[in-house]
């Protein structure tokens, strides 16, 4: 029979998988000789057995009994003994902490027979009866599913009958009576008596903790935190000690450093004459831990020396829970403590200074997600009103502004200096100008990977999406929520870190970390946090192998990216250069009748394209700028079909000539595609519309030559989108090379391709024959690899897929390593085999996402390219990936 039960003296901190985090650390403390009440842990393996079969594994309780006898021996009491009972706590604890998600049952072993024994030995009959009534309620609720309200109702009735305001004022007689009433409630709901056999209580409690792994809230929490569902929980069974036996007893929680700021020194709370749940329940206010020094100097000294020892041992911030029973200190829990992003950076740097860890390890102790959090401004919440609604925190930050319901007005108001929040049911690509103009974006539909969320994150714009309580009436220009109506022009504030939506304007504080990373403030010697961020990001730059470039298509974005540390532009999309007033020129191109008209239309576009490139080359002087030739289907630049149809119909009804609209409508009808993602776009467009790519190449060449003539060092590269086969690229290349050759004063201009069609990945060896570089377009590679289009599926069935656990995370958010990632690996390998000096990068959304960056490092890519705001995150994660690969230690951010 497998060994399912482990005494605390048998385990250790490295066994979290088997014993859960709590069990492993209790064992570690026991081995260190610290005063841990005796106990044992039932393994996660036993829980998995239970979850698979619905019954407790055979022989488990025999093992429990054997270990219980050891506990009795060591504690010098017998479980449930009527004279002086050993009582037990039964607590859940999986590999990853899931605070409050699973069950705990205290005072197991208390029965009608043993309450008097406990009362006599503790000298506190009231506390004994109080413990018993708590056990009946906790056991009834957790083990037998009795609704908590059934007990609470009785408790409230007793309080009012006794004429007291809180439970602490109930007398021993009240509590004795309440025990009888609770037993009746238990019987009424379960048809059985409250079990009077201590072992029976223990077995049932263990089983209930196993089952609590699958409560709705636990499943939801795991889904959110990406914790696998098949791990199971361990169960920790420990001798009860009591902090509520008088003024020389108490309970507390403490940290070895401040988990909010990272400042050194012991932090904690202490509550005299109380048990742990009293602290959690917030019934009484605890005092700062230093107070314990006055109350019980000996325990305080012992506690602080244990904490120093734990920190040395774990080489990190630890948090602990402890109880003092009549002057004797007991350690009930420890673990490497959770901390805020600011504390994570500060503590990692402190530990380096203290000689505890090396910089490499410090880098593994912080994450890109934490750095991201530190870069966004925050609300000053001291005077925040109640939120109107809470949505999904999709893109962090704090934004206030006037509510606007359409993109055009958002852009107009913003142009006059107004701060606006764009509110939509959901956004689509047409909303882009409004999204750019707005301080923040608020939607009532869609999840973390909705259009609004993805675009907002890419732009570093604050976004709350899926705030379903909002009833958005865009036509009426207002939204209503819980009886409040917010009209266009009213001010709201949205917090992209918490998802909250507030009425009115909340003051914000700018993020000093973002200011430092943008080069606005120096790091050195000013502030512990900035200093820590500086040291860790610089160390990441020293150790990383992956280059970090940015996706930017304006001079302003390029400049910002450079200040954030981008080493070039990995993707300059040119389609944004065809919007705004230039749409008219694109329309001319589309409607051109014959070569002459087309050439004239292209010639009209050329100067503005060239001017755009000049600005970008200036901002990125000396660094590579990868310009991608036009990608989207052309009709995206024309008015929507429905709008044109209506305009033409209106004109015809009035007997007027629809003029240009008629021609546009015909063009849109001609070009209309059922699925534009799979149609005439990318390189296909370049090959089908004569002169289009040539005009773009000419604009690049002329802009570069112009900059070079002014003494700058432009480094343009030309990238062709959506290539599926080598001949496509070869054709574009031949034309481009000819144009480049005609331009004087040009540096060499590498020509490469995006790999974003599965066929391209699978024929990468052939394509590498004509490409000097590859850049994986993982957005399209994901769409085409999975066979779904992002805009269609994210709102439709992704929530269901995520709910069903088919995805742990959306493949548009984090690279699907086994499918799309495999295409990346194949193309990298075969591309390099054909051309050993092939440069390979990635420029899809995944280029700025931490887990994906680690994958790209492992796959051997040369660089990642991401939005400017994510550049610091990518630098940090690329460094972490290099260290993690070297040491094959992965830091666990949970
Ligand atoms: C991609 O497909 O990953 C990519 C970067 O191109 P776009 O997102 O512009 O289609
Ligand atoms: Mg693409």
């Amino acid at each position: 029979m497998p060994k399912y039960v482990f005494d605390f003296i048998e385990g250790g901190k490295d066994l979290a998988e088997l014993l859960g985090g709590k069990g492993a650390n209790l064992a570690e403390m026991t081995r260190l000789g610290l005063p841990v009440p005796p106990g044992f842990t039932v393994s996660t393996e036993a829980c998995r057995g239970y979850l698979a079969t619905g019954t407790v594994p055979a022989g488990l309780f025999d093992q429990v009994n054997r270990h219980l006898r050891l506990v009795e021996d060591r504690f010098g009491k017998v479980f449930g003994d009527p004279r002086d009972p050993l009582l037990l706590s039964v607590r859940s604890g999986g590999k990853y902490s899931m605070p409050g998600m699973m069950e705990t049952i205290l005072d197991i072993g208390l029965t009608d027979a043993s309450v008097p024994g406990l009362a006599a030995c503790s000298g506190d009959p009231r506390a004994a009866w109080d413990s018993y009534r708590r056990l009946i309620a906790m056991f009834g609720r957790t083990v037998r599913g009795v609704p908590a309200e059934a007990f609470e109702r009785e408790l409230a009735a007793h309080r009012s009958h006794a004429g007291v305001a809180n439970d602490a004022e109930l007398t021993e007689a009240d509590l004795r009576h309440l025990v009888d009433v609770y037993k009746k409630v238990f019987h009424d709901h379960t048809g059985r008596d409250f079990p009077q056999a201590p072992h029976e209580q223990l077995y049932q409690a263990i089983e209930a903790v196993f089952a609590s792994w699958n409560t709705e809230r636990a499943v939801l929490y795991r889904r959110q935190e990406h914790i696998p569902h098949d791990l199971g929980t361990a169960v920790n069974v420990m001798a009860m000690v009591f902090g509520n036996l008088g003024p020389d007893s108490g309970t507390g929680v403490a940290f070895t450093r401040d988990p909010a700021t990272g400042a050194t020194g012991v932090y904690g709370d202490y509550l005299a004459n109380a048990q742990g749940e009293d602290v959690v329940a917030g019934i009484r206010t605890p005092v700062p831990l230093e107070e314990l020094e006055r109350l019980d100097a000996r325990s305080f000294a012992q506690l602080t020396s244990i904490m120093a020892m734990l920190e040395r041992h774990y080489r990190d911030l630890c948090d602990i829970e402890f109880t003092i029973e009549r002057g004797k200190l007991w350690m009930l829990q420890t673990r490497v403590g959770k901390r805020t992003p600011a504390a994570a950076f500060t503590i990692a740097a402190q530990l380096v200074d203290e000689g505890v860890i090396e910089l490499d390890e410090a880098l593994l102790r912080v994450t890109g997600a934490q750095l991201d959090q530190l870069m966004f401004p925050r609300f000053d919440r001291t005077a925040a009103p109640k939120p109107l609604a809470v949505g999904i925190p999709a893109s962090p930050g704090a934004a206030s502004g006037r509510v606007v319901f359409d993109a055009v007005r958002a852009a107009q108001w913003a142009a006059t200096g107004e701060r606006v929040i764009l509110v939509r049911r959901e956004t689509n690509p047409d909303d882009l100008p409004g999204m750019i103009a707005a301080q923040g974006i608020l939607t009532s539909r869609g999840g973390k990977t909705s259009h609004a969320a993805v675009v907002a994150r890419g732009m570093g714009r604050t976004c709350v999406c899926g705030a379903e309580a909002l009833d958005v009436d865009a036509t009426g220009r207002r939204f209503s929520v819980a009886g409040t109506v917010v009209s266009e022009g009213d001010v709201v504030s949205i917090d992209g870190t918490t998802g909250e939506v507030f009425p009115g304007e909340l003051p914000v504080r700018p993020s000093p970390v973002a200011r430092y990373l943008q080069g606005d403030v120096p790091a050195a010697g000013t502030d512990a946090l900035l200093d820590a961020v500086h040291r860790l990001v610089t160390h990441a730059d020293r150790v990383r192998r992956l280059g970090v470039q940015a996706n930017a298509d304006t001079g302003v974005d390029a400049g910002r990216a450079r200040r954030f540390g981008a080493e070039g532009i990995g993707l300059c999309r040119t389609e944004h250069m065809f919007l705004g007033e230039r749409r008219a020129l694109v329309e001319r191109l589309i409607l051109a009748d014959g070569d002459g008209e087309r050439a004239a239309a292209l010639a009209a576009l050329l100067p503005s394209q060239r001017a755009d490139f000049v600005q970008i080359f200036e901002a990125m002087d000396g660094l590579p700028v990868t310009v991608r030739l036009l990608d989207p289907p052309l009709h995206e630049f024309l008015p929507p079909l429905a709008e044109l149809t209506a305009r033409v119909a209106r004109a015809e009804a009035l007997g007027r000539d629809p003029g240009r609209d008629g021609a546009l409508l015909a063009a849109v009808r001609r070009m209309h595609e059922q699925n534009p993602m799979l149609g005439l776009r990318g390189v296909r467009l370049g090959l089908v519309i004569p002169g289009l790519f040539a005009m773009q190449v000419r604009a690049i060449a002329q802009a570069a030559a112009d900059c070079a003539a002014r003494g700058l060092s432009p480094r343009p590269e030309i990238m062709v989108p959506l290539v599926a086969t080598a001949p496509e690229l070869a054709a574009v290349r031949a034309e481009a090379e000819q144009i480049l050759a005609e331009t004087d004063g040009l540096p060499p201009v590498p020509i490469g391709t995006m790999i974003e069609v599965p066929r391209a990945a699978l024929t990468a060896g052939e394509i590498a024959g004509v490409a000097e570089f590859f850049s994986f377009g993982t957005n399209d590679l994901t769409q085409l690899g999975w066979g779904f289009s992002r805009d269609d599926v994210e709102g439709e069935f992704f929530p269901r897929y995520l709910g069903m656990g088919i995805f742990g995370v959306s493949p548009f958010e984090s690279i699907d390593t086994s499918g799309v990632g495999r295409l990346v690996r194949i193309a990298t390998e075969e591309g390099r085999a054909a051309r050993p000096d092939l440069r390979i990068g990635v420029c899809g959304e995944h280029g700025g996402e931490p887990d994906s960056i680690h994958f790209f490092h492992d796959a051997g890519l040369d660089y990642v390219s991401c939005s400017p705001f994510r550049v610091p995150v990518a630098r940090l994660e690329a460094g972490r990936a290099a260290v993690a690969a070297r040491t094959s230690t992965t830091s666990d951010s949970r």
Side-chain angles (χ1 to χ4, degrees):
M1 194 204 328
K3 180 173 167 58
Y4 290 124
V5 182
F6 295 79
D7 193 280
F8 289 167
I9 43 180
E10 296 177 288
K13 71 175 166 42
D14 299 327
L15 294 178
E17 193 117 15
L18 183 69
L19 303 178
K22 187 179 294 186
N25 288 322
L26 280 167
E28 190 75 12
M29 286 202 292
T30 304
R31 282 153 60 112
L32 289 170
L34 301 182
V36 177
F40 55 84
T41 303
V42 182
S43 71
T44 54
E45 191 190 348
C47 177
R48 287 193 293 272
Y50 172 84
L51 295 172
T53 61
T55 53
V56 167
L60 173 65
F61 291 142
D62 293 337
Q63 294 189 27
V64 165
N65 290 339
R66 262 201 312 283
H67 283 83
L68 179 55
R69 278 193 290 279
L70 294 175
V71 173
E72 291 176 332
D73 288 349
R74 245 174 301 135
F75 208 55
K77 290 187 186 187
V78 174
F79 182 42
D81 182 353
R83 282 160 304 170
D84 181 11
L86 163 68
L87 302 179
L88 298 171
S89 66
V90 176
R91 294 172 203 266
S92 57
K95 177 177 178 190
Y96 301 111
S97 143
M98 294 169 50
M101 293 300 133
M102 293 180 294
E103 301 296 355
T104 289
I105 309 166
L106 304 179
D107 298 321
I108 292 281
L110 212 45
T111 57
D112 292 356
S114 61
V115 182
L118 178 66
C121 294
S122 67
D124 190 345
R126 189 195 170 282
W129 286 98
D130 194 36
S131 299
Y132 195 27
R133 69 103 190 156
R134 285 185 204 229
L135 169 66
I136 298 167
M138 217 186 278
F139 191 94
R141 187 173 52 75
T142 313
V143 181
R144 310 290 316 174
V146 182
E149 310 80 65
F151 295 109
E152 275 155 23
R153 246 194 324 270
E154 295 300 338
L155 183 59
H158 269 68
R159 275 196 308 261
S160 81
H161 184 252
V164 299
N166 63 51
D167 304 347
E169 295 170 71
L170 293 172
T171 63
E172 181 196 334
D174 293 331
L175 292 165
R176 275 172 181 267
H177 182 55
L178 200 54
V179 161
D180 286 337
V181 174
Y182 272 22
K183 282 202 252 175
K184 184 164 178 319
V185 170
F186 187 95
H187 189 275
D188 288 350
H189 280 83
T190 63
R192 296 199 215 166
D193 287 335
F194 177 72
Q196 292 296 323
H199 285 79
E200 199 50 42
Q201 290 180 8
L202 176 61
Y203 302 156
Q204 291 187 24
I206 290 174
E207 196 173 331
V209 171
F210 283 162
S212 72
W213 175 257
N214 276 337
T215 56
E216 212 170 298
R217 63 168 192 251
V219 173
L220 192 68
Y221 182 86
R222 286 198 296 273
R223 204 175 287 150
Q224 251 164 23
E225 298 294 311
H226 306 313
I227 298 174
H229 292 294
D230 56 2
L231 298 175
T233 181
V235 185
N236 300 294
V237 178
M238 187 160 80
M240 284 288 299
V241 290
F242 295 91
N244 56 349
L245 297 185
D248 57 352
S249 303
T251 188
V253 293
F255 297 84
T256 56
R257 297 176 194 230
D258 185 341
T261 64
T264 47
V266 168
Y267 284 75
D269 291 329
Y270 182 70
L271 197 52
N273 196 11
Q275 279 197 295
E277 312 84 80
D278 301 331
V279 180
V280 179
I283 299 165
R284 281 161 51 201
T285 312
V287 295
L289 189 64
E290 297 81 77
E291 198 64 10
L292 178 60
E293 186 165 21
R294 205 176 50 74
L295 296 169
D296 181 350
R298 210 171 53 95
S299 293
F300 182 76
Q302 191 190 0
L303 180 69
T304 45
S305 93
I306 286 176
M307 288 174 73
M309 172 189 185
L310 283 173
E311 213 194 63
R312 266 197 315 279
H313 185 70
Y314 282 88
R315 301 160 61 246
D316 204 348
L317 159 84
C318 292
D319 71 19
I320 61 156
E321 289 179 19
F322 66 94
T323 280
I324 297 173
E325 180 180 300
R326 297 212 164 119
K328 166 139 183 59
L329 174 69
W330 292 103
M331 302 297 293
L332 301 189
Q333 178 173 329
T334 191
R335 62 182 173 186
V336 168
K338 296 213 191 250
R339 63 206 73 185
T340 62
F345 274 85
T346 311
I347 291 172
Q350 279 166 1
L351 292 174
V352 172
D353 291 338
E354 292 166 19
V356 179
I357 57 175
E358 300 288 331
L359 265 172
D360 272 2
E361 191 171 350
L363 198 51
L364 295 181
R365 300 262 182 108
V366 295
T367 66
Q370 288 167 333
L371 184 60
D372 198 33
Q373 292 272 321
L374 289 173
M375 287 173 65
F376 288 94
R378 290 284 169 84
F379 283 127
D380 188 347
R381 311 177 143 260
T382 35
K386 198 171 154 299
L388 287 171
V390 182
I392 295 165
S395 178
S400 300
R402 292 190 187 283
V403 168
V404 178
F405 290 89
D406 73 85
V408 174
R409 195 166 293 186
Q412 283 166 351
W413 287 20
T416 67
E418 197 73 73
R419 296 151 57 86
V420 301
I421 303 287
L422 179 65
V423 182
R424 309 277 294 151
R425 268 159 60 88
E426 58 209 340
T427 61
N428 61 49
D430 279 344
D431 290 320
L432 196 65
M435 297 172 80
I436 294 169
Q439 303 295 312
I441 297 133
L442 170 62
T443 69
S444 60
R445 287 182 46 183
K448 268 200 159 166
T449 58
S450 62
H451 177 268
V454 172
V455 175
R457 275 198 298 277
M459 296 192 303
R461 199 68 83 249
T462 301
C463 175
V464 171
C465 61
E468 292 185 354
L470 302 191
D471 188 1
V472 177
D473 172 9
T475 333
R477 303 205 165 270
R478 60 175 174 246
F479 71 77
S480 52
V481 52
T484 305
V485 175
V486 175
S487 304
E488 191 153 81
D490 292 351
V491 174
V492 298
S493 299
I494 60 173
D495 187 329
T497 313
T498 63
E500 290 162 300
V501 181
F502 296 99
E505 174 152 6
L506 257 56
V508 288
R509 291 179 276 126
S511 150
V513 171
R515 294 183 61 216
Y516 151 68
L517 287 168
Q518 269 194 102
D520 293 345
V521 290
T526 45
D527 169 286
L529 173 58
L530 294 193
D531 206 51
V533 169
H534 171 74
R535 288 167 65 189
L536 292 172
V537 173
T538 341
H539 185 63
D541 285 342
R542 254 194 314 271
V543 297
R544 68 185 155 89
R545 198 206 66 241
L546 283 173
V548 177
Q549 304 196 11
N551 295 355
D553 30 353
T554 65
V556 173
D557 273 1
R560 178 180 296 126
R562 187 171 195 156
R563 289 197 300 281
F564 275 130
E567 297 154 318
I569 291 184
L571 172 64
C572 171
R573 291 183 170 102
T574 49
E575 49 266 27
H576 296 160
M577 302 173 182
F578 285 63
L579 295 174
E581 63 225 32
R582 298 186 200 168
R583 250 179 220 263
L585 298 177
V586 181
E587 285 174 12
R588 241 178 89 188
L589 170 68
I590 294 169
L591 298 183
D593 190 7
D595 293 348
E597 275 191 30
R598 188 181 311 109
L602 285 167
L605 271 167
L606 184 116
S608 36
Q609 280 262 279
R610 186 175 53 218
D612 293 329
F613 293 137
V614 165
Q615 281 180 12
I616 293 169
F617 293 148
E618 283 171 355
M620 276 287 160
D621 188 34
L623 295 175
V625 174
T626 312
V627 180
R628 180 181 74 183
L629 304 181
L630 196 67
D631 181 25
L634 279 189
H635 56 78
E636 283 200 5
F637 302 100
L638 298 182
L641 181 62
E643 186 185 315
L644 275 174
T645 312
R647 281 203 322 235
V648 170
R650 210 175 309 124
E652 282 169 351
L654 295 171
R656 291 205 205 112
D657 176 6
R660 188 178 173 77
D661 281 348
L664 279 175
L665 179 60
V668 169
R669 284 214 176 109
R670 196 174 60 245
M671 296 192 301
H672 182 78
E673 288 169 335
Q674 285 305 327
N675 189 342
M677 301 316 292
L678 299 176
L680 182 57
R681 54 174 284 223
V683 66
R684 303 160 196 167
L685 203 59
L687 296 178
V688 167
I689 313 255
L692 175 63
F693 278 9
M695 180 277 288
Q696 291 199 289
V697 172
R698 203 163 278 123
I700 294 166
Q702 291 177 359
D706 171 281
C707 289
R710 288 188 283 126
L712 300 177
S713 307
R715 290 178 54 193
E717 306 192 359
I718 290 172
M719 180 157 78
V720 184
L722 220 76
V723 164
T725 174
E728 287 175 320
L729 181 61
V732 174
R733 191 182 172 98
E735 187 183 27
E737 277 176 343
Q738 199 180 339
I739 296 166
L740 295 172
E742 289 162 6
T743 316
D744 290 334
L746 265 191
V749 182
I751 299 175
T753 181
M754 297 190 70
I755 301 287
E756 49 185 349
V757 174
R759 191 182 188 285
L762 297 173
T763 57
E766 292 165 24
I767 293 177
V770 276
E772 282 156 273
F773 62 87
F774 283 175
S775 179
F776 289 103
T778 47
N779 302 335
D780 273 309
L781 200 55
T782 301
Q783 299 197 113
L784 298 169
W786 281 84
F788 46 52
S789 124
R790 180 163 76 188
D791 293 344
D792 291 340
V793 294
E794 278 191 338
E796 279 303 318
F797 66 81
F798 265 34
R800 181 124 178 84
Y801 261 41
L802 289 163
M804 290 169 75
I806 293 176
F807 302 143
V809 53
S810 157
F812 291 114
E813 225 177 279
S814 189
I815 188 104
D816 150 36
T817 51
S818 51
V820 177
R822 188 156 149 65
L823 290 170
V824 169
R825 284 191 193 273
I826 290 171
T828 304
E829 225 166 83
E830 298 189 2
R832 288 235 176 88
R835 186 191 282 257
D837 64 347
L838 184 74
R839 257 182 320 111
I840 305 184
V842 57
C843 62
E845 279 272 327
H846 305 88
E849 192 275 328
D851 289 342
S852 310
I853 292 171
H854 287 246
F855 171 81
F856 297 133
H857 174 92
D858 290 341
L861 266 53
D862 297 309
Y863 67 94
V864 295
S865 187
C866 56
S867 74
F869 286 96
R870 295 205 69 82
V871 165
V873 170
R875 288 163 60 198
L876 189 82
E877 287 294 352
R880 297 183 70 231
V883 173
R886 215 166 46 216
T887 58
S888 73
T889 339
T890 40
S891 96
D892 208 321
S893 53
R894 282 190 189 104

